[in-house]
Amino acid sequence: MLVSLVVPCFNEEEILERFHERVTDEMTGLGHEFQLVYVDDGSADRTLVILQELAAADPRVRYVSFSRNFGKEAAMLAGLQHAEGDAVVIMDADLQHPPELVGRMLQEHADGYDQVIARRTRKGDRVTRTVSARAYYWLINCLVDVELVDGVGDFRLLSRRTVDAVLELTEYNRFSKGLFAWVGFRTTTFAYENAVREQGSSAWTFGKLLNYGLDGLLSFNNKPLRAALYLGMVLMSVAFAYAAWIVGFALVKGVETPGYVTLIVVVTALAGVQMVIVGVVGEYVGRIYYEVKRRPHFLVKATNTQAAPQSIREPQEFVRR
Ligand code: UDP
Ligand code: MG
């Protein structure tokens, strides 16, 4: 069995060599044939040079380097496209995903699981981040069809047929947590204690996280549109009831002039609600705009490998095995 490790790297020069050493040691111990697929996501530092050195020294190393930073989602997609393994493990380059867990993943895979997910605990995280994550997952699970679990990230093993299925999803706005959950197949999860980043700093700023969260919410289904519709219907009913009451009151008692406060409150509140709804609709239109352009997910600047052509894979592969 060939195991591929897909590793997105963005400015990881400080840790990459150590990562490579740790992972090759670990994998050698496991006794499976393996390959490493590093994706340099347009790093500005020596990441690509290090990858080229690693590749020169070790034939099991594949690398793909992007023309600029396209984001981790694109990097993972490229990695999956280039991975040839019967099982593919996606892991971060910063050693926050302990390589020791790959053995356990492979064991569970041997037991027949297509996706083996390592779920990190929130130990060592700032309280604000833990609380906001909890709130976010509660909200998102109300709003999307697939189930998303807090702490479940991209650190996981995928069987060949799962990888193929993920690669069938060619959408431009990729929210891989959701894509993996959408694909399904036999899935199992185990927890591990989160390791603190050893070197460098997380590329996730608060703004990036917020946008990522919104992407997750909006890129999965049209439930936010449905919510907007319901909200509109509720407001409309309230408005009709209120209008009926006002008209009835005016018919019985005549018109009372004051009403300035009510008027202003209603106008501004409804304007706000309308703006939000237009914003939600706009988000979907924006997504359609990006999808119809059919731009590539990334551009490759340098590589020592070739993507497996999707077209030769036959659809039967999904039911076989
Ligand atoms: N990464 C990437 N492109 C980006 C940002 C990050 O390929 O634009 C990679 C990064 O090199 C690392 C992984 O994605 O291997 C996770 O990134 P990071 O550690 O910054 O995120 P966190 O661990 O805080 O989720
Ligand atoms: Mg990290």
Side-chain angles (χ1 to χ4, degrees):
M1 191 172 89
L2 176 68
V3 181
S4 301
L5 294 159
V6 167
V7 189
C9 315
F10 179 52
N11 294 338
E12 301 283 4
E13 64 175 2
E14 287 158 331
I15 204 164
L16 210 48
E17 276 155 336
R18 205 141 52 83
F19 171 86
H20 183 73
E21 207 175 303
R22 277 274 299 275
V23 167
T24 37
D25 282 355
E26 190 64 35
M27 291 307 292
T28 313
L30 292 173
H32 285 290
E33 227 187 300
F34 69 96
Q35 65 172 188
L36 285 139
V37 184
Y38 289 104
V39 183
D40 163 35
D41 187 9
S43 302
D45 62 1
R46 292 181 61 250
T47 299
L48 175 59
V49 180
I50 295 171
L51 290 181
Q52 284 167 334
E53 283 166 12
L54 290 176
D58 186 344
R60 295 169 301 196
V61 172
R62 309 262 186 286
Y63 68 87
V64 182
S65 177
F66 290 174
S67 61
R68 64 169 173 84
N69 180 243
F70 282 92
K72 191 185 175 190
E73 298 288 342
M76 285 193 295
L77 175 68
L80 291 178
Q81 283 175 349
H82 288 81
E84 297 154 323
D86 305 300
V88 179
V89 177
I90 304 173
M91 62 197 303
D92 286 0
D94 56 12
L95 285 174
Q96 275 185 309
H97 295 164
E100 305 86 73
L101 296 179
V102 174
R104 168 142 184 211
M105 288 179 161
L106 287 167
Q107 253 169 27
E108 305 248 18
H109 174 58
D111 290 344
Y113 286 103
D114 287 285
Q115 291 199 47
V116 186
I117 306 166
R119 182 175 62 83
R120 55 167 269 187
T121 59
R122 290 219 165 258
K123 213 182 148 218
D125 267 18
R126 259 177 300 153
V127 184
T128 44
R129 185 133 177 208
T130 312
V131 171
S132 51
R134 291 257 161 77
Y136 172 67
Y137 278 97
W138 175 80
L139 179 69
I140 198 168
N141 278 312
C142 295
L143 287 171
V144 300
D145 297 332
V146 294
E147 212 211 328
L148 301 175
V149 185
D150 184 14
V152 162
D154 304 313
F155 186 27
R156 60 179 78 210
L157 176 146
L158 305 172
S159 66
R160 175 41 51 192
R161 63 174 177 177
T162 315
V163 172
D164 290 346
V166 169
L167 291 178
E168 292 277 310
L169 309 177
T170 53
E171 60 213 70
Y172 189 80
N173 291 288
R174 299 186 79 75
F175 184 68
S176 55
K177 271 184 208 193
L179 295 180
F180 294 143
W182 187 89
V183 165
F185 292 115
R186 281 193 77 195
T187 303
T188 180
T189 306
F190 64 85
Y192 71 97
E193 204 149 282
N194 182 39
V196 178
R197 208 178 210 284
E198 290 188 25
Q199 225 123 57
S201 60
S202 172
W204 288 97
T205 57
F206 178 74
K208 267 194 184 177
L209 270 177
L210 193 67
N211 279 322
Y212 184 71
L214 266 180
D215 277 343
L217 249 155
L218 294 167
S219 67
F220 241 79
N221 52 22
N222 61 0
K223 277 201 188 160
L225 285 178
R226 185 59 57 83
L229 187 66
Y230 282 136
L231 181 62
M233 288 197 302
V234 168
L235 284 176
M236 195 173 72
S237 319
V238 172
F240 280 168
Y242 187 58
W245 186 72
I246 293 273
V247 170
F249 196 84
L251 285 178
V252 178
K253 289 216 165 175
V255 182
E256 268 186 77
T257 339
Y260 176 73
V261 175
T262 334
L263 207 61
I264 293 297
V265 169
V266 168
V267 168
T268 49
L270 287 188
V273 170
Q274 281 174 357
M275 285 299 205
V276 170
I277 292 178
V278 169
V280 170
V281 176
E283 277 288 334
Y284 282 96
V285 175
R287 270 150 222 280
I288 297 169
Y289 170 72
Y290 274 107
E291 297 294 340
V292 294
K293 281 192 209 237
R294 305 201 116 263
R295 286 203 183 145
H297 294 88
F298 52 82
L299 292 174
V300 175
K301 173 174 73 180
T303 178
N304 67 344
T305 176
Q306 256 190 339
Q310 273 296 293
S311 49
I312 56 167
R313 287 202 190 107
E314 308 213 329
Q316 291 105 291
E317 275 219 26
F318 292 98
V319 281
R320 232 197 291 142
R321 265 212 275 186

